Amino acid sequence: MAWTLYRLAIMMESGSALTTGVKDLLDISKGRGGLFMAVLRQIANDLKGGSRNPRQIVEYVRGVMPELPELDTFLQLMRINLDEGQPIALQLRTLARAMRDELTNQIERRRQSAEMRIVIITSAVVVPVLLVIVGGPTLLTLMRVLR
């Protein structure tokens, strides 16, 4: 979703309207994409066909999609742009950056967790084996000397 929002922001900054940017983004994706791309396809179809106004589109998407704060923010921005004509490129770029930062933070937390597991496994398995390998011959030599 962050990548898509970032690309949409770039298209809007270059002068495209939201509806044109969404259409171009869908053309670029060539039918691929995840759940957010499916939402954009539905929004584009509703806007193109005129079957729903922006408020109805927002309510429809909220009803069929899981509750995600980022999606809700996007829907509000979309409604503001379509109803009031307010530019939203900067807000889309900021939202995309925040989502990428959160993903980066999640990856970093997982990396730190994996590091800790590696240290624990090393401590629990490798160190005792090393003690047996190094300490065994030393203990045998010590027993011979003390006899």
Side-chain angles (χ1 to χ4, degrees):
M1 185 172 170
W3 180 89
T4 305
L5 289 175
Y6 185 74
R7 295 298 180 259
L8 187 57
I10 289 172
M11 288 177 181
M12 291 183 74
E13 286 171 347
S14 69
S16 294
L18 176 66
T19 52
T20 306
V22 168
K23 181 190 170 299
D24 291 345
L25 199 57
L26 292 172
D27 290 343
I28 291 169
S29 73
K30 295 183 175 87
R32 296 184 310 262
L35 193 56
F36 185 61
M37 291 301 285
V39 168
L40 286 180
R41 275 187 206 90
Q42 182 63 45
I43 290 170
N45 289 336
D46 287 346
L47 290 172
K48 181 180 174 185
S51 60
R52 294 186 178 111
N53 66 37
R55 285 187 192 280
Q56 291 170 328
I57 293 171
V58 167
E59 293 307 315
Y60 171 76
V61 172
R62 282 185 181 150
V64 297
M65 294 296 295
E67 190 172 321
L68 297 169
E70 295 86 359
L71 179 62
D72 197 46
T73 302
F74 169 74
L75 292 172
Q76 287 299 334
L77 291 172
M78 181 196 74
R79 191 189 58 72
I80 288 169
N81 179 266
L82 294 172
D83 283 347
E84 301 170 16
Q86 298 263 342
I88 59 170
L90 178 63
Q91 291 88 345
L92 289 177
R93 186 182 288 268
T94 303
L95 179 60
R97 185 177 301 119
M99 291 174 70
R100 282 195 321 265
D101 289 347
E102 178 58 32
L103 182 60
T104 301
N105 290 340
Q106 286 178 4
I107 291 169
E108 181 63 24
R109 284 191 296 272
R110 287 182 182 174
R111 183 193 64 79
Q112 289 173 351
S113 174
E115 262 181 23
M116 185 55 70
R117 280 185 257 150
I118 289 171
V119 168
I120 290 170
I121 290 170
T122 302
S123 300
V125 175
V126 175
V127 172
V129 169
L130 212 84
L131 286 174
V132 169
I133 292 172
V134 173
T138 305
L139 187 61
L140 289 174
T141 305
L142 186 61
M143 287 175 51
R144 276 192 224 139
V145 168
L146 290 177
R147 274 192 195 173

